[in-house]
Amino acid sequence: SHHTCEESIKDCFGMDILRSITYQPANNGKMSEQTLSKSCEFKRKKSEDHSHVAPEMSRIITDHTTGKCYCRGKVLGKGGFAKCYELTDLSTNKVYAAKIIPHTRVSKPHQREKIDREIELHRILHHRHIVHFFHHFEDKENIYILLEYCSRRSLAHILKARKVLTEPEVRYYLRQIVSGLKYLHEQEILHRDLKLGNFFINESMDLKVGDFGLAAKLEPLENRRRTICGTPNYLSPEVLNKQGHGCESDVWALGCVMYTMLLGRPPFETTNLKETYRCIREARYLLPSSLSVSAKQLIASMLSKNPDDRPHLDDIIRHDFFSQGFTPERLSPSCCHSAPDFHLSSPAKNFFKKAAAALFGGKKEKAKYYENLNKLTKEEDEMYKLRHDLKKTSISHQPCKQVEDTKPPIAPAGKPIVLVKENKQQIRDTIRMIVRGTLGSCSSSSECLEDSTMGSVADTVARVLRGCLENMPEAESIPNENINSTFQWVTKWVDYSNKYGFGYQLSDNTVGVLFNNGTHMSLLSDKKTIHYYAELGQCSVFSTVDAPEQFISQVTILKYFAHYMEENLMDGGDLPSVTDMRKPRLYLLQWLKSDRALMMLFNDGTFQVNFYHDHTKIIICNQNEEYLLTYINEERVSTTFRLTTLLMSGCSSDLRNRMEYALNMLLQRCN
């Protein structure tokens, strides 16, 4: 039965008992089921008596400090001290979620202190994945807390309708929860009551962490509160053992949340509260075979019995569950009541319908296009079913050769290279040794790399960039150097990986798409020639007008990407473009998006990172066995340095931070 002890306690006690379960020391500190039953009955009668005499709340509520009037609407939820109502500002029609707490429920000093603490903690929080606190006031009867209104209610309501969620949805929600939770922990605030009912969903399907009734400031281990508080199914072993809450306790609850979303029930749910607590203390639960390997691994790490063994929030997002699986950029509201069909839905759907009309004028051409599109959809069906088979996913989702942070670069003879800051000539030679040690005697980096593996491309770039960062001196500004160079870089991009793949435009107007099935296709700047890569380094060339039948659908999609970027996106900087016909064509091997930047790695070792917030970019490329770094600043002005120059002169902390972030993204993709 899903109506567990937890729900029975909720029914009897409200949220009070769940949020501060402090049992009397009798019976070894445990409440017997008989005592629990009597307490429930007493609490119910008391609650009924109280509600019988409580005065009816006014429909129109006035804030006498501001003069604003609000209209009280439907009940949104109930808690231990309060009910939550829809509340509309009559002067602006803005709708809030109002937590209304009768003074009679917080008459004792410690109860009022609890509400005041919640207000003080919540009002200072400002984050896109935290329920926004707007205002609070009180009158003779009640305290009113005005919060952000989330029209799609909570994850608990969604799971009740859906029973279980798909892995892409779980990744979508978990990313947002982790983002909000990381912000809280950075503010040294513990939530202490993470559960599906406290994750609210707004009109746009964005998740907001809410309900800070149990939140507390993070204290040193010796000063932590020992109160057992939270929802029974989500309590961590250290909280049950009265060792206090820490950030690790929130991570444990997050593991319970992930398990519940994927399987429809909490990991430690039993029909007996005592047995539930025993399972929690022993970290004993089942991981069904229906879960993917990466999901099992992530859940197991978060539900480690020892708090020190649990991952940090950044480690969670870097886990294979996220890096090797598809995460939608946006969920449809239909996901609140029915399972999504990601490969048939798309945020750019309307655009591509219009693009079809623009590209194909006649009815016959449109019919042929839709016929080919249907063929592709069947292929995607197979890929969707085999999403966790790495051979069927995008190259951008395949793991590459691991780069160990602790190991120095390896010279051709297999011996570690010792980098010495004082000897500038040695540093310059070291970088060249790293390059030559990887590339051998090839005349260009791309020739050798194309015969190698994707892992060696990433490994080479990571070694060189790390070697530079570890030995670069401190400096206050960037070097006074701006050399002329000829290389290709990404001027525009669009992520449509929720259906087809990742598209980009190079500075010579070549458009490429790395498809979700692992293949790559480029439309050259003449808009007539297609380069198709089924495997690393193996290229087929054909024209757009006589493409092989099996490629027509992909060619059509490639044209869509080209048309969309041409019509809707602007170039990303001022770098001139010169195509060196002696070099093999550039095509994308891997890409990775974080909440701060986009990383792209190409077949010749060109490595580009675009930062979202200020539109700055870093591009690393190799020319004549000399590594160059180009920095495009906020004004879209570019400067190109030799890495050996940076090794000797250093650079500003701003550029260094971007280089370090770029390296971390590269290592994250390779781990």
Side-chain angles (χ1 to χ4, degrees), residues 215-341:
K217 294 293 285 184
L218 177 64
E219 301 287 352
L221 185 60
E222 62 276 9
N223 295 336
R224 289 179 185 173
R225 299 172 184 168
R226 311 300 181 195
T227 307
I228 302 176
C229 64
T231 302
N233 275 320
Y234 295 80
L235 296 177
S236 64
E238 64 270 19
V239 170
L240 278 180
N241 294 330
K242 297 189 176 181
Q243 295 167 330
H245 269 90
C247 294
E248 305 83 5
S249 308
D250 278 350
V251 170
W252 171 280
L254 197 60
C256 295
V257 165
M258 178 178 173
Y259 186 105
T260 305
M261 286 194 285
L262 287 169
L263 294 169
R265 63 184 186 280
F268 304 101
E269 181 183 76
T270 69
T271 56
N272 181 293
L273 194 61
K274 187 193 299 185
E275 180 62 22
T276 293
Y277 287 168
R278 182 182 294 112
C279 291
I280 291 172
R281 286 192 172 96
E282 298 172 4
R284 175 161 45 88
Y285 59 96
L286 296 175
L287 282 171
S289 58
S290 58
L291 291 177
S292 68
V293 173
S294 59
K296 289 180 185 177
Q297 290 172 344
L298 181 54
I299 290 170
S301 67
M302 289 193 281
L303 296 183
S304 296
K305 185 177 178 181
N306 185 347
D308 294 334
D309 294 335
R310 294 172 205 155
H312 295 291
L313 294 174
D314 286 336
D315 297 327
I316 291 171
I317 294 301
R318 284 195 290 262
H319 193 272
D320 285 353
F321 178 73
F322 290 96
S323 64
Q324 294 183 8
F326 161 64
T327 305
E329 287 194 357
R330 180 67 57 193
L331 287 181
S332 165
S334 64
C335 294
C336 294
H337 51 76
S338 58
D341 195 356

Side-chain angles (χ1 to χ4, degrees), residues 150-166:
C150 294
S151 61
R152 304 202 184 278
R153 307 185 76 180
S154 73
L155 273 187
H157 294 95
I158 291 175
L159 195 70
K160 185 176 181 180
R162 291 280 308 281
K163 310 306 179 189
V164 294
L165 302 182
T166 63

Side-chain angles (χ1 to χ4, degrees), residues 356 360 363-379 500 549-550 552-554 556-557 560:
F360 308 112
K363 293 182 179 179
K364 290 182 179 180
E365 287 82 358
K366 289 181 183 178
K368 186 175 180 181
Y369 154 69
Y370 284 114
E371 181 183 345
N372 290 325
L373 192 61
N374 289 334
K375 290 179 183 177
L376 184 63
T377 301
K378 291 177 182 177
E379 294 171 10
Y500 297 124
E549 186 177 353
Q550 67 268 31
I552 291 176
S553 296
Q554 285 176 283
T556 302
I557 293 166
Y560 285 171

